Each structure stands twice: as C-alpha cells, then as structure tokens.
Amino acid sequence: MKIKIAKMQPEHIPALAVIEQQCFHTPWSENALAAELEEDGSLFLVAEGPEPLGYVGCKTVLDEGYITNVAVRPDARRHGIARRLLQELQKAAEKQGLSFITLEVRVSNVAAIALYEKAGYISVGTRKAFYHDPKEDAMLMTLFLDKESAD
Ligand SMILES: CC(C)(COP(=O)(O)OP(=O)(O)OC[C@H]1O[C@@H](n2cnc3c(N)ncnc32)[C@H](O)[C@@H]1OP(=O)(O)O)[C@@H](O)C(=O)NCCC(=O)NCCS
C-alpha cells in the first residue's frame, strides 16, 4: 500500500469523522475536528492512500506537544500507518523545537501502548478514572525530544 503522510486539510474532515466513528465510543464530530484543526499550534497529520486512512492530532502549548488522537481505519491496520504518523509528528515537533510530546491512553489499550512504546514513548504515570464510558485509568506516556534538531 502506497501511503503519503500530509498535513491535515479541511477537505479531509468528513472522511476522518467516519474513521472516528469506526474507532471510538465517543467519536469527534466534523465540527469538533474542524475546531481542533483551526486552533493555534495544532499539528494534525493524515495518512493518505490516497483516501484518508488514519490521522494523528497534536496540540502544542509553548514547547509542549499533547497528542489528542491517533486513529487508523480498521481495514488498514497493521500496515505501519500509525507508526509512520508518529514518526512524521516527531519530525515536525523536533523542527518546531518542542521539548516533549505526551498523551493519555486507556490502560487496557494494548495495541496503542505497544505502538507508543515502539515509537520511544515511556510511561510517566497514571491518571485514576480518567476515562468514562467505560470508566478506566489512563496511562501517561511521554516522548522526550532532542532540542538540538530544531530549526
Ligand atoms: C492503535 C492504532 C492507532 C494502531 O494503528 P496501526 O496503523 O494498526 O499500527 P501500526 O501498524 O503502525 O503498528 C505499529 C506497532 O504498534 C503495535 N500494534 C499495533 N496494533 C497492535 C495490536 N492490535 N496488538 C498489539 N500491538 C499492536 C505493534 O507493536 C506494531 O508493530 P508491528 O506491526 O511491527 O508489530 C489502531 O489500532 C487504532 O486506530 N485503534 C483504535 C483507536 C485507538 O485506540 N487509538 C489510540 C488512542 S490513545
């Protein structure tokens, strides 16, 4: 499968809202995705094959990055798409001079935890009962970045 990683554009939003519905109990709507994309410092990347197959969203505050979502269409999983999205996000974050990228993940989400660990994220703590529907703890995972590679 030939995949291109690109910056998310407004025209990607309808397809990404469908992927949200396929991936999450409480999916983001098209409006929510559009609002996130418009925020200052948002770093959203899409995997195109050529239609959108997955995406990663990251907010930035000063020199800190917060992953808000990573999702890959169920029929496109285990082809390295999420891995590539995280690699490209890391490059973009390093270019911007971010110090770290961090995220929360459900403690039962073994696929995502394995993905993040392979990408170099380490467990830095837990947030008790962070998630609802179903109620569950979150694991906090962080990738510390090399500031030397900033522009
Ligand atoms: C988690 C998710 C994004 C992974 O996407 P993907 O494109 O299939 O992942 P990749 O193919 O890039 O996998 C990279 C590595 O992650 C790990 N991984 C991915 N899926 C896995 C699974 N189902 N079980 C165990 N490990 C898994 C593996 O280590 C894998 O490397 P390998 O294929 O060499 O073994 C995808 O399963 C998804 O969209 N899940 C639903 C949404 C979600 O939970 N998002 C995370 C919210 S924090």
Side-chain angles (χ1 to χ4, degrees):
M1 207 184 327
K2 198 156 186 310
I3 308 287
K4 188 178 116 199
I5 308 294
K7 272 179 104 168
M8 182 169 152
Q9 305 294 338
E11 58 265 27
H12 292 127
I13 287 175
L16 297 183
V18 173
I19 295 175
E20 278 282 315
Q21 284 167 9
Q22 292 169 326
C23 294
F24 297 109
H25 284 290
T26 45
W28 283 5
S29 63
E30 290 192 29
N31 285 345
L33 283 162
E36 291 288 324
L37 185 60
E38 273 174 20
E39 267 195 27
D40 278 351
S42 80
L43 255 179
F44 274 64
L45 300 175
V46 179
E48 297 177 298
E51 75 281 16
L53 298 173
Y55 82 100
V56 58
C58 180
K59 293 182 184 207
T60 65
V61 181
L62 301 174
D63 66 343
E64 304 175 355
Y66 295 88
I67 290 185
T68 49
N69 257 355
V70 183
V72 172
R73 219 167 73 177
D75 62 356
R77 291 184 187 162
R78 297 312 288 264
H79 289 289
I81 292 176
R83 190 200 334 264
R84 285 200 44 206
L85 284 164
L86 290 183
Q87 283 167 350
E88 292 303 317
L89 176 66
Q90 180 176 346
K91 279 190 213 163
E94 283 173 344
K95 243 179 146 183
Q96 282 194 24
L98 299 192
S99 297
F100 62 83
I101 305 172
T102 195
L103 58 91
E104 289 103 8
V105 56
R106 284 183 181 271
V107 292
S108 65
N109 194 343
V110 289
I113 291 169
L115 164 76
Y116 298 132
E117 279 176 344
K118 268 202 172 162
Y121 289 71
I122 56 172
S123 168
V124 291
T126 52
R127 291 197 206 281
K128 288 277 168 212
F130 180 77
Y131 293 105
H132 303 276
D133 193 21
K135 191 169 166 181
E136 191 175 350
D137 295 350
M139 182 189 287
L140 283 168
M141 299 186 80
T142 298
L143 175 71
F144 294 96
L145 298 172
D146 176 10
K147 285 202 123 188
E148 298 303 305
S149 42
D151 277 346

